[in-house]
Structures are given as structure tokens and as C-alpha cells.
Amino acid sequence: MSSDVERPVSARISERGAATRAALLQAAREVFVSKGFAEAGVTDVVGRADASVGSLYHHFSGKADLYLTLFEEFQAKQGRRTKQAVREARAEGESDPMRVFLRAARAYLDGCLEERELAALFLRGDGPPGFEVVMRDRLRKWAELNATLFENEGALVVVVTGALAAAVNEVVRTGDPKLADDVLAIIGQIRPAASATGPASG
């Protein structure tokens, strides 16, 4: 009998905890975007979230943990976007690796434009100590994923991944979807070295 009573109570506590965590993350996002990571304080975050400092440290280890959690959640959402784009392209019968890559890249850039302030936060170099290592590691993993599309084309992976990384920076900076279109059109013309240097036909 007591367990029947306890379950709803613990569920309410869990829901309240989840709501507090979400409020703290939303507040951190707003504070980091407006003030920058370095200038933001824990008190700014809890004040905006209408929470206590204790509740923040119950859910997060500190300011850097808030920032890294925002980054990981953004990247997870971007990962879902790109995987969905790849699935849709393949379901439509697309088998050309470059066209599949471009569909995923378009989805990623669309996500950056949709959440431009957050994307800009991670790109402007004002993160916690060591964040640049996290970014480099993420870029390496991204290149490894691209390598599964372009089998035995290591140089091509380097070129298209580097080009898209540069495109992300500029598209986020300008907020220009036309620039995204133009960049992807150019990337789509990149070919492996063997194709580019082979004898011209005709």
C-alpha cells in the first residue's frame, strides 16, 4: 500500500527536478548568449531561472558544466537532424555519397540557422577552459562519420569536412541562408583527386 502512495510522490519530485534542470539550462543559455561565458556568473543564472544556488549545484557541477551540457544537447539535436536527412535521402533511393553528405550538411546548417545565437555561442571562442579540445574532438568524430560515406577517399573527407566547418562559421556569423545554399553548391562539385586529375574525355 505504501508503495502506491510513494510512487506518485517520487514522480512529482522527479518532474519538479526535471523542470528545475530545464529552467537552469534555459537561463544559462540566455545569460551566456547575452553576457558571454566569461562574464556570466552562477548568480546570474539562478536569478534568471528563479532557482537557488543549491539547486544549480544539485543538477550541475558549476558554470562550465552548464555550458558543456548546452553544447552536448545542441550537438545531439544536430546529430538527430543529420541522421534523419541521411535516412530520408537513402529512403528516396539516393546512393551518391556526395549527395547524401550534402543533404546531411544542409540539415546541419539549417539547425545552426534555427538556433543561431546558441551556435554562435559555441563558435566565438568564449567557452570554459579546455573547450577548444572538446571542439577539436567533435570535429575529428565528425570527419570519421563522413569517412563512412566516402570510402577510401581520405583526402576528400578532409576537404569537404574542412569546407563545411568553415561554412558553418560564416553562415552562423552572417545568418545568411543563401550563403549556405551557395557553399553547398560549390562543395557538391568537389571530386576525389583521381577524378580531378584524370585525363579529360573527348
Side-chain angles (χ1 to χ4, degrees):
M1 186 75 166
S2 62
S3 62
D4 292 337
V5 174
E6 287 165 11
R7 268 199 294 272
V9 171
S10 63
R12 283 199 300 273
I13 292 169
S14 177
E15 286 169 13
R16 190 165 59 236
T20 300
R21 182 182 185 278
L24 286 164
L25 279 174
Q26 181 59 35
R29 173 180 177 149
E30 293 166 6
V31 170
F32 292 156
V33 164
S34 64
K35 298 185 78 168
F37 175 80
E39 294 300 316
V42 164
T43 52
D44 298 317
V45 174
V46 296
R48 185 163 299 210
D50 195 23
S52 67
V53 172
S55 67
L56 186 147
Y57 284 105
H58 174 72
H59 293 282
F60 303 97
S61 62
K63 188 172 75 163
D65 191 20
L66 282 163
Y67 185 98
L68 292 171
T69 302
L70 286 169
F71 175 72
E72 291 302 331
E73 290 190 356
F74 174 71
Q75 290 297 332
K77 189 185 293 186
Q78 290 289 79
R80 289 191 294 273
R81 284 176 179 276
T82 56
K83 285 175 185 171
Q84 179 64 27
V86 168
R87 278 195 299 270
E88 289 173 1
R90 288 180 170 154
E92 292 165 13
E94 186 58 75
S95 59
D96 179 80
M98 181 59 80
R99 285 198 284 268
V100 173
F101 172 81
L102 292 173
R103 289 280 289 271
R106 175 81 255 184
Y108 191 92
L109 287 171
D110 285 346
C112 287
L113 286 166
E114 188 176 301
E115 298 195 71
R116 186 179 165 211
E117 286 186 337
L118 189 60
L121 172 67
F122 303 131
L123 291 171
R124 67 188 184 205
D126 173 33
F131 183 64
E132 64 280 358
V133 176
V134 173
M135 286 290 278
R136 277 200 305 273
D137 186 55
R138 186 54 57 102
L139 186 60
R140 181 183 55 77
K141 287 178 180 172
W142 183 32
E144 288 170 0
L145 285 173
N146 292 334
T148 64
L149 287 175
F150 301 104
E151 293 179 16
N152 303 316
E153 297 292 351
L156 182 62
V157 171
V158 170
V159 171
V160 297
T161 301
L164 188 57
V168 166
N169 276 281
E170 284 305 300
V171 168
V172 168
R173 186 182 66 79
T174 63
D176 184 358
K178 173 71 164 52
L179 177 61
D181 293 336
D182 292 346
V183 166
L184 291 178
I186 293 168
I187 291 175
Q189 296 176 45
I190 298 171
R191 292 292 174 264
S195 302
T197 60
S201 59

